[in-house]
Amino acid sequence: MTKALTNKKRPFRWHILVFLAPAALIYTVVMILPLAETLRLSFFHVDTTTREVTFIGLDNYKELFFNVNWVGPFFRALWNNFYFFIIHMLVQNPIGVMIAALLSMFHLPGKKFYRTAIFMPTLLSFVIVGFVWKLMLSPLWGVSKGLLTSVGLGSWFMPFLGREETALTTLAFISVWQFIGIPMMLIYAALLSIPEEVIEAAECDGVTGFAQFFKIKLILILPTIGIISILTFVGNFNAFDLVYTTQGALSGPNFSTDLLGTMLYRTFYGQQTQPGDPNMGAAIATMMFLIILVGVAIYLFFIQRKLTRYEM
Amino acid sequence: MKKIVISGLATALMLSAASLTYGAELTIESWRNDDLTIWQDTILPAFMAANPDIKVTFAPTAPAQYNAALNAKLEGGTAGDLITCRPFDSALDLFNKGQLAPLNELSALDNFSDVAKSAWTTDDGSTTFCVPMAAVIHGFIYNKDAFAELGLSEPETQEEFTAVLDAIKADGNYIPMAMGTLDQWEAAAMGYQNIGPMYWKGEQGRLGIINGTEKLTDPQWVKPFEVLAEWGQYLGDGFEAQGYPDSQTLFTLGRAAIYPAGSWEITGFNNDADFELGAFRPPLPNAGDKCYIDDHTDIAMGLNPASPNAEAAKVFLDWMGSEEFAQLYSNALPGFFSLSKHAISLDDPLANEFISWRSECDSTIRSAAQILTRGGTPNLWSGMWTASANVINGTQTPAEAAAELQAGLESWYEPQQ
């Protein structure tokens, strides 16, 4: 009886293919093909006057890593990107967790208002955020000088966006301000999904307050924090808009705010009299893709596997 | 009701019949959408009055999209008959691709100097492919009321210029100079390229770099950076985070006395400033030196070789070399000066002051504009933005800035190697 059943050949399940097809097709057209095309583009060179296209293999990459005029800017942008990411990890995510923890305390008055208000900047366009902050920090018309002076810190005021030492940090803080709503919301949701019984059990054992947060809740939301870290990483290494709107395509002062994204933009599309070089730009874009890929892979293979997930 | 429809149809018929009687219809491609009314109301009616059989339409695109839109139209065969040319390589590229016609036989071109034509001529100087329209001149615009209040007069030399700046600073009522370094472009265009030609002797220096007989580390190229290094102390607090629109506003609000400028600011400043404006040219290094001004070629008009109305288009291009056009255009757009050799009179006093320097000084264009920004990385013009801003910020010495620019140029430009 059982033998007869297993021997009977199952019909091919076409509906699986049919249902997968739209997603696979759209993903291929808008993601995989452009990626492959970028890779292909980076192996060619177009002569600026004759428009002749030649296959040059890895020469664009050789140029990028061995020509002083490329390798310096590239690693400067890479380092700036890491710095930008580190600030987000040290400031945005811990504060996001903290705000979420505060919001999840059910007796907090006005918490719906705070939740919305803190999430609002995330919905704004980069351009608006960039211009608003640029105006607020402006030494001519900005409010920041007056605000600092009113609390007795007037001497701390600097043209923050105009100094090499402070510009990138300032931009990182602006970006943190804008995106803090995302870790907050995700952690908030994770905290709410912790079952009451777990908390009640902890309370019965006398674990309350800070100890309860660090020993129970934080452990339970670690996988979410991991996801947030990887989202931050991908977002930061693709960052471009904020720098472009506040500092322009040359990422001043003296390239101190140049990220991989702005370098890619400048190379690909050109800048004023500098003609764009789509092929070299494609090489940089491919490097960005590889860096993000390696980062995500490290997370998936070495960190996420070690995170213990608890059944809740 | 029926009557209205019929009369409407009749009018439409008459209009279409009227347009059929014109010999040719020309369309102008341009990025100057700001100038649409000036072309429609002033310039084109004057031409069409003299040439009733040619109908011309001005069809501009937004500046940021112009190059891309024009390329697409040219390749698709839908571009207009007349094409507004950007200076140097972007127009040269079109010519090399056969999308701009050579105009050597056009007699109107004799009305323009070689410097004026250089932006739209092949590297060997043999073929010109656009009729030059306008240039912008660099200099300094100042607040006449403030100068009168402080008893100051227009400085002639660098020494006098510094004395004026010191006096304004000592008085404390005005910021001596309105400029910021956040956008960097101001530092290069209104700083280095504004005062520089006096030191590198205009065309002599510019061609010296192109031919490889001079280097950017030579004293005549470093000296302007040394002058810029002094500027930082005369700019407003926090100038490092001050952008281009900030500087314009600071000056038109009357809070700053001097504005390192280009003549394109004239219309805006005339509208926004409620004090009297004056202009003085870049200061001479020493009294009695010959003077050189940056008279930067900016806009020209070329012919689409695919145009079916090439003959009519040539009539229009010829007219663009006439005194009438020069007069009309320069007066409608004060600050954009005709590049022709005709002596023109301008109504705007500030524009008149700028253009009067042409008779006193030799003209040159921005030193990095021609050939030197072609294809190479690092780009010399972008490099000048960063270098000039760094020098004014005091984060790089003039010698270091010049050395970096020279090293960048040498890395790809053969005559400098």
Side-chain angles (χ1 to χ4, degrees):
Chain A
M1 181 71 190
T2 45
K3 206 162 187 184
L5 253 181
T6 45
N7 272 351
K8 190 181 167 195
K9 207 181 166 201
R10 270 177 131 176
F12 188 74
R13 287 181 284 180
W14 284 105
H15 62 275
I16 295 181
L17 274 189
V18 171
F19 284 121
L20 278 179
L25 203 74
I26 291 171
Y27 189 75
T28 310
V29 169
V30 302
M31 292 296 294
I32 299 177
L33 279 183
L35 265 176
E37 178 64 15
T38 306
L39 192 63
R40 191 190 68 85
L41 204 58
S42 70
F43 296 137
F44 288 84
H45 176 78
V46 179
D47 191 283
T48 41
T49 42
T50 60
R51 310 266 146 200
E52 203 179 313
V53 182
T54 34
F55 178 80
I56 52 163
L58 289 172
D59 278 8
N60 279 332
Y61 296 91
K62 267 188 213 154
E63 180 91 353
L64 186 60
F65 288 111
F66 296 103
N67 181 336
V68 261
N69 291 317
W70 285 106
V71 72
F74 180 76
F75 280 100
R76 178 179 57 205
L78 186 61
W79 161 247
N80 285 345
N81 240 148
F82 266 110
Y83 181 79
F84 199 66
F85 172 60
I86 290 167
I87 298 260
H88 279 78
M89 288 301 283
L90 291 182
V91 181
Q92 174 186 287
N93 298 348
I95 294 182
V97 172
M98 201 181 78
I99 297 175
L102 286 175
L103 285 179
S104 67
M105 301 192 312
F106 58 89
H107 52 270
L108 190 77
K111 78 177 174 186
K112 275 187 182 156
F113 170 76
Y114 285 116
R115 201 176 56 198
T116 315
I118 293 169
F119 194 71
M120 277 298 251
T122 312
L123 305 174
L124 292 176
S125 138
F126 272 108
V127 183
I128 296 173
V129 171
F131 278 107
V132 165
W133 274 96
K134 200 173 163 181
L135 263 183
M136 288 203 289
L137 293 171
S138 162
L140 293 172
W141 344 102
V143 292
S144 49
K145 192 175 187 176
L147 285 178
L148 280 176
T149 313
S150 66
V151 292
L153 295 174
S155 59
W156 287 22
F157 182 78
M158 282 199 279
F160 296 107
L161 288 174
R163 292 266 169 90
E164 282 178 46
E165 315 84 64
T166 54
L168 186 60
T169 316
T170 311
L171 287 179
F173 283 144
I174 296 174
S175 171
V176 165
W177 174 84
Q178 183 178 10
F179 288 115
I180 199 148
I182 292 192
M184 180 199 77
M185 276 303 187
L186 290 173
I187 300 285
Y188 179 66
L191 284 172
L192 288 190
S193 68
I194 299 176
E196 277 301 297
E197 304 91 76
V198 178
I199 306 295
E200 277 165 15
E203 274 164 7
C204 289
D205 288 339
V207 186
T208 54
F210 275 102
Q212 190 188 68
F213 179 76
F214 283 106
K215 289 192 173 148
I216 314 242
K217 289 181 177 171
L218 194 63
I219 311 295
L220 291 174
I221 58 169
L222 267 184
T224 312
I225 292 180
I227 291 292
I228 289 166
S229 308
I230 208 65
L231 282 179
T232 312
F233 176 75
V234 175
N236 285 168
F237 275 79
N238 278 324
F240 152 77
D241 341 37
L242 184 67
V243 178
Y244 184 73
T245 48
T246 53
Q247 310 294 82
L250 280 185
S251 314
N254 201 14
F255 297 106
S256 60
T257 56
D258 204 19
L259 303 180
L260 290 169
T262 47
M263 187 184 174
L264 159 70
Y265 177 87
R266 219 172 35 242
T267 312
F268 198 101
Y269 293 103
Q271 203 283 130
Q272 277 268 325
T273 61
Q274 176 183 336
D277 183 348
N279 303 98
M280 196 64 186
I284 296 176
T286 307
M287 287 318 299
M288 282 171 73
F289 173 70
L290 289 180
I291 290 166
I292 294 173
L293 190 69
V294 168
V296 175
I298 289 175
Y299 169 79
L300 285 180
F301 293 120
F302 296 100
I303 300 175
Q304 201 186 33
R305 286 184 178 187
K306 297 215 172 85
L307 288 177
T308 326
R309 280 166 197 282
Y310 297 94
E311 283 294 328
M312 293 196 279
Chain B
M1 184 64 206
K2 210 172 184 180
K3 220 172 185 179
I4 299 175
V5 175
I6 289 171
S7 66
L9 275 174
T11 330
L13 271 174
M14 272 164 67
L15 278 176
S16 57
S19 64
L20 282 177
T21 59
Y22 285 113
E25 283 189 46
L26 300 175
T27 307
I28 300 177
E29 300 281 351
S30 174
W31 70 89
R32 293 291 310 171
N33 49 2
D34 288 352
D35 305 346
L36 180 63
T37 50
I38 290 160
W39 280 88
Q40 274 176 347
D41 301 343
T42 315
I43 299 174
L44 295 180
F47 172 76
M48 289 190 277
N51 301 277
D53 53 339
I54 302 176
K55 185 175 181 283
V56 194
T57 317
F58 186 70
T61 321
Q65 287 134 36
Y66 180 69
N67 292 20
L70 180 67
N71 277 332
K73 284 187 199 170
L74 282 169
E75 262 145 44
T78 58
D81 312 276
L82 293 159
I83 290 163
T84 310
C85 307
R86 298 255 192 206
F88 301 105
D89 285 0
S90 67
L92 186 61
D93 270 354
L94 294 181
F95 175 71
N96 286 337
K97 283 194 275 179
Q99 291 171 339
L100 281 175
L103 297 175
N104 278 350
E105 76 279 20
L106 209 67
S107 60
L109 284 178
D110 301 338
N111 296 330
F112 298 93
S113 71
D114 284 344
V115 176
K117 284 186 278 193
S118 65
W120 301 283
T121 300
T122 50
D123 291 353
D124 57 7
S126 64
T127 312
T128 302
F129 41 84
C130 295
V131 179
M133 280 166 70
V136 290
I137 299 177
H138 287 269
F140 293 81
I141 298 179
Y142 69 97
N143 181 335
K144 266 193 177 169
D145 296 355
F147 268 49
E149 191 185 317
L150 302 175
L152 299 167
S153 55
E154 293 180 7
E156 267 286 309
T157 62
Q158 181 55 37
E159 206 178 319
E160 289 169 23
F161 185 56
T162 314
V164 165
L165 290 171
D166 280 332
I168 304 170
K169 197 181 178 190
D171 174 69
N173 258 328
Y174 294 93
I175 296 165
M177 215 164 11
M179 192 170 102
T181 52
L182 183 67
D183 294 339
Q184 308 192 39
W185 167 77
E186 285 175 274
M190 273 100 117
Y192 194 59
Q193 295 295 335
N194 186 357
I195 61 169
M198 293 283 188
Y199 296 89
W200 62 69
K201 301 199 185 307
E203 286 293 280
Q204 185 190 327
R206 188 178 77 85
L207 297 173
I209 297 291
I210 292 175
N211 300 332
T213 52
E214 289 185 22
K215 286 186 181 306
L216 293 168
T217 45
D218 290 346
Q220 69 271 30
W221 291 88
V222 180
K223 188 72 187 147
F225 277 135
E226 286 168 9
V227 176
L228 283 189
E230 302 289 314
W231 279 21
Q233 54 183 310
Y234 301 114
L235 306 178
D237 276 342
F239 67 88
E240 295 103 321
Q242 179 181 328
Y244 175 47
D246 293 335
S247 308
Q248 290 175 310
T249 315
L250 199 62
F251 180 71
T252 51
L253 282 178
R255 282 170 55 180
I258 301 174
Y259 181 89
S263 58
W264 64 86
E265 308 277 14
I266 291 175
T267 315
F269 282 7
N270 277 342
N271 290 338
D272 294 340
D274 54 4
F275 46 85
E276 216 185 322
L277 295 165
F280 58 87
R281 59 172 198 232
L284 295 168
N286 299 297
D289 282 356
K290 186 157 174 36
C291 79
Y292 300 89
I293 51 164
D294 191 327
D295 190 352
H296 190 68
T297 45
D298 191 51
I299 182 168
M301 190 74 80
L303 171 64
N304 180 357
S307 163
N309 304 314
E311 286 316 307
K314 279 182 184 166
V315 173
F316 186 79
L317 289 172
D318 248 328
W319 179 73
M320 288 184 71
S322 71
E323 189 169 350
E324 186 189 6
F325 176 80
Q327 189 80 28
L328 276 174
Y329 186 81
S330 306
N331 273 309
L333 291 162
F336 289 85
F337 303 111
S338 164
L339 281 161
S340 66
K341 292 177 186 163
H342 305 294
I344 44 173
S345 64
L346 297 174
D347 303 329
D348 186 276
L350 203 55
N352 245 326
E353 175 65 33
F354 271 95
I355 204 168
S356 70
W357 304 335
R358 273 194 187 158
S359 56
E360 300 158 15
C361 309
D362 281 357
S363 291
T364 182
I365 56 173
R366 288 181 193 157
S367 61
Q370 192 186 21
I371 299 172
L372 299 177
T373 47
R374 185 168 299 164
T377 300
N379 178 279
L380 183 62
W381 181 226
S382 301
M384 280 181 179
W385 289 26
T386 307
S388 310
N390 285 350
V391 165
I392 298 176
N393 287 345
T395 54
Q396 208 172 25
T397 67
E400 282 165 10
E404 200 176 311
L405 289 180
Q406 177 65 23
L409 185 62
E410 271 172 24
S411 72
W412 64 272
Y413 187 60
E414 273 166 31
Q416 284 288 343
Q417 282 161 358

